[in-house]
């Protein structure tokens, strides 16, 4: 069956360091992945997405890497700031032609000075 | 920037009571969704709605749940007879096109507590 999961529930980093949040998926047919950020008291907010025909995609201070061989993706945040503190979810569509997103369990990123 | 708004932010109810959670999607959006997140668990899809009818629903969305777009701006989720296990944060989302990822905008949620 499909599942999207994360390796670590909590990640603590020092301000200015780079953060790497990991996610594993089980369905080799998955072709689209999304990273969401959820700040306390708010709903998920889109960060970046990647399609399976790409290995890497960059945004502003964020990079997503996709390794289809081991069914793993990661979110890299450069120069982590206190405002990056949040829970980060990877997500993927449940099936082709579906409205349903499957979310991972989330990683809480804590940034300390 | 346009946003999805949800009311109330917190709702406390007694088991067996009916609750209505309200959402105002972004004005030019045509697709609407409800998700929920039980404390400490994953965000879970409940239902999608388009053209005044349900497009897709999950196994969670049983006969106790219903959705409605009563007018041109509101989108509601009704739970007919709440159970303790319905306690969760409920997120409304909307999109202009049938889409996922960056095209999906979430509200800040309604925290439902069933006592």
């Amino acid at each position: 069956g499909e599942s999207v999961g994360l390796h670590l529930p909590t990640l603590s980093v020092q301000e200015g360091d780079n953060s790497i949040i990991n996610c594993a998926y089980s369905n080799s047919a998955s072709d689209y992945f999304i990273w969401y950020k959820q700040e306390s008291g708010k709903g998920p907010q889109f960060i970046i997405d990647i399609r399976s025909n790409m290995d890497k995609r960059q945004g502003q201070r964020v990079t997503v890497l996709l390794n289809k061989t081991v069914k793993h993706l990661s979110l890299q945040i450069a120069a982590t700031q206190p405002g990056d503190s949040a829970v980060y979810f990877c997500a993927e569509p449940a099936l082709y032609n579906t409205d349903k997103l499957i979310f991972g369990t989330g990683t809480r990123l804590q940034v300390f000075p | 920037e346009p946003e999805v708004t949800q009311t109330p932010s917190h709702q406390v109810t007694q088991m067996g009571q009916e609750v209505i959670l309200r959402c105002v999607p972004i004005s030019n959006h045509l697709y609407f969704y409800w998700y929920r997140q039980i404390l400490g668990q994953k965000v879970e899809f409940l239902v999608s709605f388009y053209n005044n009818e349900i497009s897709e629903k999950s196994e969670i969305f049983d006969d106790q749940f219903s959705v409605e777009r009563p007018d041109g701006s509101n989108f509601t989720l009704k739970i007919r007879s709440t159970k303790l296990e319905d306690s969760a944060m409920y997120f409304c989302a909307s999109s202009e096109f049938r889409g996922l990822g960056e095209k999906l905008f979430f509200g800040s949620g309604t925290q439902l507590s069933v006592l």
Side-chain angles (χ1 to χ4, degrees):
Chain A
E2 297 170 329
S3 70
V4 179
L6 289 159
H7 294 311
L8 295 172
T10 303
L11 176 66
S12 296
V13 298
Q14 191 163 24
E15 182 178 355
D17 286 351
N18 297 333
S19 304
I20 300 176
I21 300 171
N22 297 303
C23 185
Y25 62 96
S26 61
N27 186 357
S28 57
S30 297
D31 66 352
Y32 180 58
F33 303 92
I34 312 124
W35 281 100
Y36 284 94
K37 172 185 181 182
Q38 186 180 19
E39 296 175 274
S40 180
K42 295 185 179 180
Q45 181 183 15
F46 172 87
I47 303 173
I48 192 168
D49 58 4
I50 188 167
R51 297 204 175 269
S52 60
N53 60 351
M54 303 172 71
D55 296 323
K56 178 179 179 179
R57 190 166 188 217
Q58 286 185 290
Q60 189 177 14
R61 275 199 313 117
V62 295
T63 301
V64 56
L65 299 177
L66 177 62
N67 185 330
K68 294 179 285 293
T69 303
V70 295
K71 291 184 282 190
H72 179 273
L73 67 158
S74 66
L75 177 71
Q76 300 181 2
I77 304 173
T80 313
Q81 301 169 1
D84 295 325
S85 295
V87 177
Y88 290 81
F89 297 95
C90 59
E92 63 172 333
L95 296 166
Y96 297 110
N97 198 30
T98 182
D99 297 328
K100 177 181 176 180
L101 274 178
I102 296 178
F103 282 80
T105 51
T107 293
R108 180 174 299 280
L109 177 65
Q110 297 176 325
V111 183
F112 57 93
Chain B
E1 186 177 313
E3 59 180 19
V4 175
T5 57
Q6 291 185 243
T7 55
S9 56
H10 293 86
Q11 175 83 52
V12 181
T13 190
Q14 294 290 324
M15 189 170 58
Q17 295 296 305
E18 175 184 286
V19 293
I20 298 175
L21 309 183
R22 303 183 190 277
C23 170
V24 178
I26 295 173
S27 60
N28 64 329
H29 285 187
L30 301 176
Y31 296 83
F32 314 112
Y33 314 82
W34 284 100
Y35 282 77
R36 79 172 186 188
Q37 184 178 28
I38 295 171
L39 185 63
Q41 298 187 23
K42 299 179 184 182
V43 176
E44 302 173 291
F45 172 83
L46 292 178
V47 66
S48 59
F49 188 88
Y50 170 70
N51 200 26
N52 281 320
E53 61 183 25
I54 291 173
S55 303
E56 189 175 346
K57 60 181 181 179
S58 71
E59 59 277 5
I60 302 169
F61 195 89
D62 61 21
D63 292 344
Q64 294 299 313
F65 291 85
S66 62
V67 288
E68 191 179 28
R69 188 152 163 82
D71 53 44
S73 60
N74 291 284
F75 178 51
T76 62
L77 174 69
K78 182 193 291 186
I79 308 175
R80 218 179 319 278
S81 177
T82 50
K83 302 187 285 284
L84 295 176
E85 53 265 37
D86 293 328
S87 295
M89 178 73 87
Y90 287 81
F91 293 107
C92 174
S94 70
S95 61
E96 185 177 2
F97 306 102
R98 186 187 186 198
L100 303 167
E102 66 181 310
K103 300 179 181 66
L104 197 62
F105 292 82
F106 285 86
S108 295
T110 293
Q111 180 65 56
L112 176 64
S113 298
V114 182
L115 307 178

